[in-house]
Amino acid sequence: MNTLNINGERLWQALMDLAAIGATPKGGNARLALTALDGQGRDLLVRWMREAGLAVTVDQVGNIFGRRAGRNDALPPVMTGSHIDTQPTGGKFDGCYGVLAGLEVMRTLAERGIVTEAPLELAIWTNEEGSRFLPVMMGSGVFAGVFPLETALEARDSEGKRVADELAAIGYAGGAPVGREVGAYFEAHIEQGPVLEAADRVIGVVTGSLGVRWYDVTVTGMEAHAGPTPMPMRRDALFGATFLMQEVVKIARDFAPHGRGTVGVVNLHPGSRNVIPGAVRFTVDLRHEDAEQLARMDARFRAACAAVADGTTTGAVLPVDVQQVQYFKPTPFARELVEQVRAEAAARGLTHQDIVTGAGHDAVYIAGVAPTAMIFVPCKDGISHNEIEDARPEHLEAGANVLLGAMVARAGLPAGA
Amino acid sequence: MNTLNINGERLWQALMDLAAIGATPKGGNARLALTALDGQGRDLLVRWMREAGLAVTVDQVGNIFGRRAGRNDALPPVMTGSHIDTQPTGGKFDGCYGVLAGLEVMRTLAERGIVTEAPLELAIWTNEEGSRFLPVMMGSGVFAGVFPLETALEARDSEGKRVADELAAIGYAGGAPVGREVGAYFEAHIEQGPVLEAADRVIGVVTGSLGVRWYDVTVTGMEAHAGPTPMPMRRDALFGATFLMQEVVKIARDFAPHGRGTVGVVNLHPGSRNVIPGAVRFTVDLRHEDAEQLARMDARFRAACAAVADGTTTGAVLPVDVQQVQYFKPTPFARELVEQVRAEAAARGLTHQDIVTGAGHDAVYIAGVAPTAMIFVPCKDGISHNEIEDARPEHLEAGANVLLGAMVARAGLPAGA
């Protein structure tokens, strides 16, 4: 058999057609979960799925599945998918690329009349972004049993509207039970970071997702007038906090290449130009691909906090309160599937490298219940969650070809096909 | 002649009586400049001044002067004073102590029938706090020619009310021209800092006021997702900014004992837990008693900014914008008057030490047009601009005695008195 290839122009046209629903003036997309626009996007996808010969079902949390039967249809499906909901000022590729690359796989197989051994499915997960309803990655989370269906259906947006009602309003309150056996799950996605572009690679072979620890930290000093208070008599909360902010970055650097450390929010009390800060609150985001390493990063950060608190760091006692407010454990992807992606990229002569995902994806939840892998393609300047998000047609085409190859290889072709 | 002493109980009672006008539930004072309450406070002081035999005049910016004639009344007056307006949640002592210590000097001299060679005056300066109208230290500023009368009279509060109209409404739009020759100016004040209390000294001999440089600083990096962006590819504006925040403190420590360095306001953009800060804006407050040393502190801070900007400090290029937004030059007080305060404290056997004022006072402006000195007494825990501001009666009494002694010594007693 000759190498199977998807149709890159058709893929690009599908991306542009979907992006017309909820298009923003700056070239982005605003199609928030379970809005009328999301309903229009879903309707378009369902029509395209049916035209490609897929049998469409909708489950109780609104996840849509398009199924292409296998020769041995009792086998668990080889699935791909992503989401079509966007951020309020989102781009045209985040999520949509994974769904439409999957659709393109199905269209290509239909065109060629190829039937795989195991069935194939294309999933559109409900509310991945979490911009309108929390929790984020809602549809895949319920599917993978991370939280109960009821939690999702009862979630309300800022206007008090319920997920259950909004699903019904757009016609996607489905009847299928949520969750079932999946043989393998692949998800194609834009990288949402700068690594592939900087390394000039077309394909990112995603080996897993980083674990994340989020903290709220408060350093307490003593508020006093900046003029009359001599330096040795100060308990400057900000001065102490700066050492912890630096330590966050240094820890991440020391746990290279997959350590990450970020302080994104800082608030001072009272926040006046001529008053020594009496308290500083800030957030910390530590990430690593390995749970044990992440625990060591946590320990080192807490030790730094203790040294600020007892006066070792600055000479002044500055009590530090550290609250871990969120923990997502690292998720390594299935070795066999990752290897399939790598082999497919190599076989097609595509430049590629291993990469981890620092952002969350539906695949990270699905990885808890099925062998999973992801395929990244570069995005311009690493920018995502932004209307200027962009990606090159040839990269999107290449990623879809790798997806096609990996899915078919995994599902199996009848002998002699 | 026996040592002259003021009446400490009468001083305390006057403080409590004035504090009853605009008393707050937490024991503080809210008597904002040119409000009806300020008018009531002024009326009480004017009555007390007249009862003590003083001739009262009011100038065009509402400054009140109570004059006790000298034997040689053509000599320029030896003046004392302060203010009776307060912060919105102010204390009972800030400003009021200086005015009522001066009143107590006048009462004591009246009681004893003592006439000094030069005339004595007690000044109540309009709107020192600047809580309602800017600029701060308004009355003394116009008196000293720092800004024009018109600027003060046209100033408006947040409701659009004009100083000129509010002066008239409370009956203090005076006719006397603003500014004239002053032979010497003394001002007694609570320290508003922790130095005297910590050193267990009763009298602070104030040698001058710190110069101040205020800056607005912006460090610019590149906003990016905290997950997918590896550490070496980051331009983290906060990481760079923390080195500058630390340098502010280190510079001040290296210019001990009178260097001060404070970062009181920090704002991050975009300010999201999982986004690397793209920009950090913060304020810097550098102080020193010597203008040249303060200029050296400025140069060192700017060098640190340049090292962050060109990548030397963090390895990433992070442009830094530094704007000096305010400069108050250091004001050394008159050596001869400072010595008079020191000698008076010593003669009375009061523990004392030299000190500089880090906060602004009317005396700092008057020092530009007349020989000036200040007398500090301790305040509890160094706390001021707060309803819990407190001071001990024996300290207040001691400070008023030093004021009495210094004023009389400066004005001169007729031979044999």
Side-chain angles (χ1 to χ4, degrees), chain A residues 153-173:
Chain A
L153 294 180
E154 292 301 318
R156 290 173 190 269
D157 70 6
S158 60
E159 292 174 8
K161 294 181 177 169
R162 272 197 326 157
V163 164
D165 300 326
E166 296 298 278
L167 273 173
I170 60 168
Y172 284 87

Side-chain angles (χ1 to χ4, degrees), chain B residues 151-377:
Chain B
T151 301
L153 294 180
E154 292 301 320
R156 291 172 189 270
D157 70 6
S158 60
E159 293 174 8
K161 293 181 179 171
R162 273 199 324 158
V163 164
D165 300 327
E166 295 298 280
L167 274 172
I170 60 168
Y172 285 87
V178 188
R180 59 204 152 84
E181 194 184 355
V182 174
Y185 180 76
F186 293 95
E187 182 169 347
H189 209 283
I190 58 169
E191 181 198 336
Q192 302 186 279
V195 173
L196 295 176
E197 188 180 65
D200 199 18
R201 299 285 202 284
V202 175
I203 300 294
V205 180
V206 188
T207 57
S209 83
L210 300 180
V212 183
R213 286 177 186 258
W214 278 350
Y215 307 84
D216 286 348
V217 183
T218 304
V219 179
T220 303
M222 195 164 64
E223 177 182 333
H225 194 307
T229 313
M231 303 309 288
M233 301 182 76
R234 296 181 174 212
R235 290 176 48 219
D236 181 337
L238 180 63
F239 186 59
T242 57
F243 290 91
L244 299 178
M245 295 170 186
Q246 289 179 356
E247 187 67 8
V248 165
V249 171
K250 288 174 183 170
I251 291 169
R253 288 177 171 180
D254 288 347
F255 284 76
H258 294 314
R260 308 271 192 277
T262 307
V263 174
V265 177
V266 177
N267 289 304
L268 268 59
H269 177 82
S272 174
R273 185 187 286 278
N274 59 353
V275 180
I276 301 159
V280 178
R281 285 162 201 246
F282 60 98
T283 63
V284 173
D285 174 317
L286 291 178
R287 304 190 186 209
H288 200 281
E289 67 173 338
D290 180 86
E292 256 180 63
Q293 299 283 86
L294 187 54
R296 285 176 52 201
M297 293 169 72
D298 170 88
R300 192 169 136 189
F301 178 64
R302 289 179 188 272
C305 291
V308 167
D310 70 14
T312 306
T313 305
T314 69
V317 171
L318 299 167
V320 180
D321 179 68
V322 186
Q323 299 293 337
Q324 182 176 301
V325 294
Q326 186 75 257
Y327 177 60
F328 299 106
K329 68 179 201 311
T331 305
F333 288 155
R335 193 180 305 180
E336 204 182 354
L337 268 65
V338 171
E339 181 46 45
Q340 217 138 28
V341 170
R342 192 183 292 118
E344 194 62 36
R348 290 171 181 270
L350 297 166
T351 55
H352 61 282
Q353 72 169 56
D354 286 2
I355 191 170
V356 289
T357 173
H361 293 291
D362 293 310
V364 177
Y365 277 160
I366 302 302
V369 293
T372 293
M374 291 188 79
I375 301 156
F376 275 177
V377 296

Side-chain angles (χ1 to χ4, degrees), chain A residues 18 21 33-50 56-66 84 124-127 139 149 153 163-176 178:
Chain A
L18 177 55
I21 301 170
L34 311 188
T35 56
L37 287 171
D38 187 22
Q40 288 175 41
R42 287 164 173 259
D43 291 348
L44 178 62
L45 261 295
V46 167
R47 178 161 66 81
W48 282 344
M49 284 175 166
R50 290 194 171 127
V56 175
T57 57
V58 178
D59 72 14
Q60 291 167 307
V61 74
N63 295 321
I64 303 169
F65 300 94
I84 64 164
I124 303 174
W125 305 109
T126 292
N127 181 34
L149 174 62
L153 294 180
V163 164
D165 300 326
E166 296 298 278
L167 273 173
I170 60 168
Y172 284 87
V178 188

